[in-house]
Amino acid sequence: MANNLVKFTKFDGEEVEPTWHVVVSLDAHRTACGYVLDGDSNLGGYESKTVSRGGITCPHCLNFIKEFKSIKL
């Protein structure tokens, strides 16, 4: 299974720190840390890529993933 990643280039017209976020699909395309990828958001632009492993550099997305991995079934 591949990881869909996105890097935002602008938010509210301002340049942002370029970190790669993991995209999850719930009711809309969202990142694990809560950004929504649609026309109604304040995102001015983004790049996307698909990787087979790794590549996530957003600390909030990484914390979200670590919390899920810590759940004992």
Side-chain angles (χ1 to χ4, degrees):
M1 179 173 222
N3 296 328
N4 296 317
L5 306 180
V6 64
K7 176 173 65 172
F8 304 116
T9 55
K10 292 188 178 192
F11 185 80
D12 271 341
E14 302 290 324
E15 298 290 323
V16 295
E17 183 179 340
T19 57
W20 288 99
H21 305 263
V22 64
V23 176
V24 295
S25 293
L26 301 171
D27 56 340
H29 288 304
R30 299 177 183 267
T31 64
C33 61
Y35 288 110
V36 179
L37 303 169
D38 66 9
D40 295 335
S41 68
N42 294 334
L43 300 173
Y46 59 89
E47 299 174 32
S48 61
K49 68 179 180 179
T50 303
V51 296
S52 60
R53 184 176 174 98
I56 302 165
T57 58
C58 170
H60 303 292
C61 287
L62 290 170
N63 284 338
F64 180 81
I65 292 166
K66 287 176 184 177
E67 288 206 19
F68 256 85
K69 289 178 76 173
S70 71
I71 296 172
K72 304 294 184 219
L73 299 177

